[in-house]
Amino acid sequence: MRCEVEEKMAVGVWDWMEGCHLQDVISLHRYSLEGALKRIFYLRRSSLSIEELETILMDEYSFRESRSKESLRIRLQKSLQAQHGPFVSDGDRWRLREVDADALHQEIYDLFQQSKQPMKQGELLRMLQQRMNRSKGELMSKVDLQRDWRFARLEEGEWVLTEWDLDTVDVPKKGKEETKVSQTNDIVELVTHELEGYLDQLAQREQEIPQEVIRMFDLEDLSSIERLMQEKRRISSFASDLREMIAKWSRQTDSVNV
């Protein structure tokens, strides 16, 4: 009996939501466009046309008055049709793609469930590196929160779970200057992580070269040995420059954050 009552209540809620504007139910202005779309589809639990989505988003000032020169309709089409994106079409209607979660993205989902706080991607990568003992470069190449509809990006760059009600989540609000500094730091941090991943790859290659030299020595292939030694010198020089660049950027970012 209780289950029947709960089911009727749930149906009543969805009927009510379908009869009113979705923006009256959810706060969309804090999401990026893709994040807002994920949240809309998550709550609606049904497919929607571009026209219906546009009507919902047009009532949000942040989407209607975007600084983009493209119309909301064009931006919607690009978001929905993005290759390997979180949305799929059923004719002229769109819905969320089924999640095929791997162990890595399930770990990220669990991290959000435990922290109950929005997180930047750089922060996520650091936590994953500690928990999973994997290189930053490897993680950056495999983490794709945009494709997984369970994760929604906010306008300021933080990620949240799409299922969260943002009115109950503490998302720090920043002034314009603070936001600019934060966004710049996030970009520098992501680039730095990527460069560190390249360093890991260079170090791995540098370790492989001596074995190849021995193999070429057994084959008496002197030209290949010379080529390998030149490659090793280039790797050593390039890795040194990368380490210096990463250290410099890290110091500058740390000084800004103080």
Side-chain angles (χ1 to χ4, degrees):
M1 180 66 179
R2 180 180 176 183
C3 292
E4 292 179 2
V5 171
E6 290 178 346
E7 183 177 353
K8 289 180 180 179
M9 289 177 64
V11 171
V13 169
W14 290 117
D15 288 343
W16 168 72
M17 287 177 63
E18 290 181 355
C20 68
H21 291 299
L22 268 180
Q23 66 273 14
D24 293 334
V25 182
I26 56 177
S27 175
L28 295 177
H29 70 276
R30 298 162 77 181
Y31 290 96
S32 66
L33 178 57
E34 291 78 11
L37 290 173
K38 289 179 179 180
R39 179 67 175 165
I40 291 169
F41 281 118
Y42 171 78
L43 286 178
R44 191 62 179 262
R45 307 295 174 95
S46 64
S47 61
L48 292 165
S49 67
I50 289 184
E51 291 77 15
E52 290 170 325
L53 290 167
E54 186 176 27
T55 298
I56 294 168
L57 292 172
M58 278 297 288
D59 285 333
E60 285 290 343
Y61 177 85
S62 58
F63 297 113
R64 187 177 68 249
E65 301 296 333
S66 170
R67 286 172 292 182
S68 173
K69 294 181 180 179
E70 295 178 326
S71 67
L72 177 58
R73 174 66 66 91
I74 295 298
R75 285 181 285 133
L76 264 175
Q77 290 174 337
K78 287 185 175 181
S79 296
L80 293 170
Q81 297 170 2
Q83 190 174 17
H84 308 304
F87 313 110
V88 292
S89 64
D90 293 324
D92 60 350
R93 301 181 71 81
W94 293 83
R95 59 178 173 81
L96 291 172
R97 184 188 301 275
E98 293 293 328
V99 173
D100 184 18
D102 55 18
L104 177 58
H105 287 80
Q106 186 58 46
E107 184 75 17
I108 296 173
Y109 181 84
D110 293 341
L111 274 174
F112 275 108
Q113 289 280 43
Q114 294 167 16
S115 71
K116 302 185 185 302
Q117 292 290 326
M119 284 188 279
K120 295 288 183 71
Q121 186 159 328
E123 182 182 359
L124 273 172
L125 290 173
R126 285 194 298 272
M127 295 177 70
L128 288 171
Q129 190 180 18
Q130 294 171 358
R131 289 170 66 117
M132 306 183 74
N133 194 29
R134 294 163 77 169
S135 72
K136 295 175 184 176
E138 179 188 4
L139 290 171
M140 286 192 68
S141 67
K142 294 183 177 180
V143 171
D144 187 357
L145 301 183
Q146 189 68 358
R147 178 180 173 82
D148 193 325
W149 67 259
R150 296 177 300 170
F151 309 104
R153 188 173 63 84
L154 302 183
E155 189 177 27
E156 302 298 343
E158 296 95 344
W159 288 87
V160 297
L161 292 183
T162 305
E163 66 194 58
W164 284 353
D165 177 1
L166 291 191
D167 290 335
T168 64
V169 176
D170 182 21
V171 182
K173 295 183 179 179
K174 305 170 184 175
K176 290 184 178 179
E177 291 303 318
E178 186 180 358
T179 297
K180 289 179 181 178
V181 171
S182 176
Q183 290 174 342
T184 300
N185 287 348
D186 289 340
I187 293 172
V188 171
E189 187 176 65
L190 287 173
V191 172
T192 300
H193 284 318
E194 189 165 354
L195 291 178
E196 288 174 340
Y198 293 148
L199 267 180
D200 291 341
Q201 295 177 34
L202 289 173
Q204 181 177 351
R205 176 57 183 158
E206 197 169 16
Q207 292 174 359
E208 295 170 351
I209 288 178
Q211 295 299 322
E212 292 187 22
V213 169
I214 293 174
R215 190 163 61 253
M216 293 301 103
F217 184 81
D218 291 340
L219 296 173
E220 298 183 353
D221 189 344
L222 298 181
S223 61
S224 293
I225 292 175
E226 177 61 25
R227 176 182 56 79
L228 287 168
M229 296 308 296
Q230 290 177 354
E231 181 183 355
K232 189 175 187 301
R233 287 192 291 270
R234 288 198 303 270
I235 289 176
S236 179
S237 176
F238 187 40
S240 177
D241 291 342
L242 272 181
R243 279 190 288 269
E244 183 178 344
M245 183 184 301
I246 291 170
K248 179 180 178 181
W249 286 5
S250 297
R251 287 194 300 270
Q252 290 177 346
T253 302
D254 291 341
S255 66
V256 170
N257 289 331
V258 172

